[in-house]
Amino acid sequence: SCEFVSELHDFIKHDVSRLYRDLLPYVKITLVEAGPALLGPFDAALQKYAHGLFQKRDIDVRLGTAVTGVEQFDADGYHFPSRRAMLS
């Protein structure tokens, strides 16, 4: 998941922003991880580094959260419009 999100971010930053600038306001990346941390089998320092890097890149990270479906969702100050979703 982390690898896919990183590649997706780079694609949006370098290609979409250049070719389809008018679509950028509609793009938001959210990484949903069922476990308590990103990169579960790796060292805690690397987990913290990856999480911080995603935050700097304005990627929403949801830990301890499982995807059970894709639909319109509003809760806890979070809005997921469900018009489009990519799952990896």
Side-chain angles (χ1 to χ4, degrees):
S1 297
C2 290
E3 295 87 356
F4 175 75
V5 166
S6 295
E7 291 296 328
L8 180 60
H9 175 270
D10 289 348
F11 170 69
I12 291 166
K13 182 176 181 180
H14 298 293
D15 297 318
V16 173
S17 64
R18 182 173 46 87
L19 299 171
Y20 306 102
R21 183 165 294 169
D22 55 321
L23 296 179
L24 286 178
Y26 303 102
V27 176
K28 178 158 177 56
I29 300 175
T30 302
L31 174 59
V32 179
E33 171 59 51
L38 298 175
L39 303 172
F42 292 93
D43 182 69
L46 183 58
Q47 294 172 349
K48 185 176 179 180
Y49 173 77
H51 194 161
L53 192 61
F54 286 147
Q55 287 178 325
K56 286 180 189 175
R57 294 179 175 176
D58 198 29
I59 296 171
D60 184 22
V61 177
R62 300 276 168 164
L63 299 176
T65 305
V67 175
T68 58
V70 178
E71 57 193 34
Q72 184 78 17
F73 179 78
D74 289 287
D76 301 325
Y78 182 73
H79 172 73
F80 183 77
S82 78
R83 295 181 72 192
R84 302 281 186 268
M86 269 191 227
L87 303 176
S88 166

